[in-house]
Amino acid sequence: MSKLDRHAPWFALAAAALLALARSPRADVPSVLVPASHDSVRIDSPVAPLLQPGRGNPADSSQRSNAQRAQEQFQFARGLEASGNLASAIVAYRNASKLDPRLAEANYRIGILYASRHQWVPAAAAFAAEVQRDPSHRDAARELGLALAQAGDSARSITQLELLTRRDAKDQRAWQALGFAYSVTGRVHDAERALRRAVGLAPRDADAWRDLGVVLASMRRDEESRVAYGKAARLAPRDGAVFVNLGNLESRAGRPAAALIAYHEAEHRDSTLGNAYRGQIRALRAAQREAEAGAVYRRWLKAAPGDPDTRLEAIKWFDAQGRGDIALELARDGVRVDPRSGEARLQLGMAYHAAGQVPEALSELRKAESLLRLPEQRARVAALLRQLRASAPDSLRGIYAADSLTHEAPRDTTRGSLPPGTR
């Protein structure tokens, strides 16, 4: 039994503190959703009204000023988006839209950014606002249908996308989106028909072939699915998601060796795909090839050093293998990657405690408590510390008592006193 297992209640509480952190779902989950290409974005500036010499109109001047400021905010948001500061970019795009509701693309960009974070409800609202501004915006109309499908509003999603295919029966991307919407509602035969229309219109579209493979696999038509995946792989050699899906297919068919090859190929083509690593670990552990599974965890963390969920999973796994030294090393690496991360500090505190290094564990848990942003997160760490103190053996009670005194909450010195100015 590992040290972490011997401290199971404490470890479970600490893990719950981590899982309570507000984060979007993983982006590496295979999906047939293909967002609109950013290259299609139109960022033409609206024409500003001109003031006639000697006939300045305060209202027109204000309107022109708002349009200019909106354009400045839009360009500022583009820069934030390019630098990866997505939350600030959303705020800037929203400011631009408020300054000039007629400004093209602001709400569309908001929708794309929310969709990239799998926040489908606000994404759908933003796409709907863009469609309301410009009903001819086909990218926004299609992304609205996809976001509605992801948000679980299947009826509106299908209605929206069917409308697009009726307006233009040659819109390949609308057929592909409709195939996805059908598939998430279980209408797999309708999904197949829509996706076959999509690949018929664009036979060299790798994404459409991949999506068709997903639907065929869901119908247990494995050989046809392999053919579709094969076409997608030839058309898009760097698309690792195709091989993740193929690995899942082979795994389900009871072909672990073929599944492992596919997952490894997925990693080779796209080292950012978490499911490529996860599939390999699952296959290697089933084959009791534990050392190789550990090597995959290390490659995964090298590719995604800032992913706290992956690091926590690796820490637990190595400790369960009796390699607490590696678990502690990985936890220290997490702090080196981001010393200001409350999650990383919490993981290091957990690893120290499992290794029996109690003073170090308490130090890191206190740091985690101070760095975590949400009150409920800090409350979980405080509860964890109280539990540790209550269950500590006699030999360690002095260490916990000293820690409690050092971090004692400030006393309320006003209790019982009279308000100022009274006797």
Side-chain angles (χ1 to χ4, degrees):
M1 180 181 296
S2 72
K3 291 180 179 179
L4 287 181
D5 288 334
R6 291 196 293 274
H7 295 286
W10 168 79
F11 187 88
L13 182 58
L18 286 173
L19 294 175
L21 301 178
R23 279 194 307 276
S24 302
R26 288 179 175 269
D28 55 38
V29 177
S31 168
V32 296
L33 172 62
V34 183
S37 170
H38 291 193
D39 294 336
S40 67
V41 175
R42 302 182 301 276
I43 56 172
D44 298 333
S45 303
V47 178
L50 298 176
L51 289 177
Q52 296 296 322
R55 299 183 61 186
N57 185 305
D60 290 344
S61 177
S62 173
Q63 185 178 19
R64 185 165 70 94
S65 175
N66 282 346
Q68 288 178 332
R69 287 190 292 151
Q71 201 47 235
E72 290 170 0
Q73 278 290 303
F74 185 90
Q75 296 303 329
F76 178 56
R78 293 286 285 180
L80 291 169
E81 182 180 349
S83 66
N85 197 341
L86 304 189
S88 296
I90 288 173
V91 172
Y93 281 128
R94 188 171 287 128
N95 289 340
S97 181
K98 288 179 180 178
L99 284 165
D100 183 3
R102 300 172 302 171
L103 179 64
E105 300 299 329
N107 283 302
Y108 178 71
R109 296 309 311 162
I110 292 172
I112 289 292
L113 294 182
Y114 273 126
S116 74
R117 301 167 75 176
H118 292 194
Q119 297 182 20
W120 303 114
V121 173
F127 290 133
E130 188 67 27
V131 171
Q132 184 177 21
R133 184 199 64 80
D134 179 8
S136 68
H137 197 313
R138 298 189 66 80
D139 285 344
R142 183 181 60 256
E143 293 295 336
L144 171 59
L146 285 167
L148 289 169
Q150 292 279 20
D153 194 343
S154 56
R156 289 177 60 202
S157 169
I158 290 172
T159 298
Q160 170 74 11
L161 294 169
E162 285 179 338
L163 176 63
L164 294 182
T165 58
R166 286 197 300 271
R167 286 178 177 173
D168 184 358
K170 294 184 178 181
D171 186 344
Q172 181 265 346
R173 297 177 72 188
W175 283 109
Q176 184 180 351
L178 181 58
F180 170 75
Y182 282 143
S183 70
V184 297
T185 63
R187 295 171 58 177
V188 290
H189 295 289
D190 289 332
E192 181 189 358
R193 283 192 289 271
L195 288 167
R196 289 200 182 278
R197 287 290 296 271
V199 297
L201 289 164
R204 298 193 59 79
D205 188 322
D207 293 332
W209 281 109
R210 182 197 64 197
D211 299 355
L212 179 59
V214 171
V215 170
L216 292 170
S218 73
M219 300 167 72
R220 299 280 175 168
R221 290 157 61 180
D222 290 3
E223 289 307 315
E224 294 176 79
S225 178
R226 288 189 182 93
V227 170
Y229 286 147
K231 291 183 178 180
R234 287 190 293 274
L235 291 167
R238 298 186 63 82
D239 185 3
V242 172
F243 285 88
V244 169
N245 287 337
L246 183 58
N248 292 340
L249 186 67
E250 301 295 3
S251 180
R252 187 181 69 184
R255 301 171 58 184
L260 185 58
I261 291 171
Y263 291 132
H264 189 269
E265 189 65 28
E267 179 196 349
H268 175 69
R269 295 181 184 227
D270 184 353
S271 62
T272 67
L273 281 175
N275 279 335
Y277 300 99
R278 189 172 289 109
Q280 290 179 74
I281 291 167
R282 185 170 58 246
L284 289 167
R285 293 185 66 181
Q288 297 184 333
R289 295 160 62 178
E290 306 294 348
E292 293 172 79
V296 175
Y297 269 121
R298 285 186 174 275
R299 294 201 306 272
W300 190 0
L301 283 174
K302 186 176 181 180
D307 183 347
D309 292 334
T310 299
R311 191 168 297 278
L312 177 61
E313 183 180 329
I315 290 169
K316 292 173 62 178
W317 186 83
F318 276 107
D319 186 84
Q321 300 302 306
R323 295 304 307 269
D325 56 331
I326 298 179
L328 186 55
E329 170 199 337
L330 296 180
R332 287 179 176 138
D333 285 343
V335 171
R336 279 192 284 268
V337 169
D338 186 359
R340 300 291 301 170
S341 168
E343 292 175 292
R345 294 287 180 179
L346 180 54
Q347 290 177 2
L348 182 54
M350 293 161 63
Y352 271 134
H353 190 271
Q357 300 183 40
V358 174
E360 293 85 350
L362 291 174
S363 174
E364 293 301 326
L365 291 171
R366 290 298 185 183
K367 290 175 184 176
E369 186 180 22
S370 67
L371 290 170
L372 291 169
R373 292 175 297 173
L374 300 179
E376 55 267 31
Q377 296 168 352
R378 296 192 293 272
R380 287 175 183 270
V381 178
L384 168 62
L385 287 162
R386 288 194 298 271
Q387 180 179 337
L388 287 175
R389 182 183 181 187
S391 60
D394 292 340
S395 59
L396 296 177
R397 289 195 180 277
I399 295 175
Y400 284 102
D403 172 78
S404 296
L405 287 173
T406 302
H407 297 89
E408 183 178 13
R411 297 178 61 185
D412 184 356
T413 58
T414 65
R415 184 173 299 175
S417 62
L418 295 174
T422 62
R423 295 182 178 274

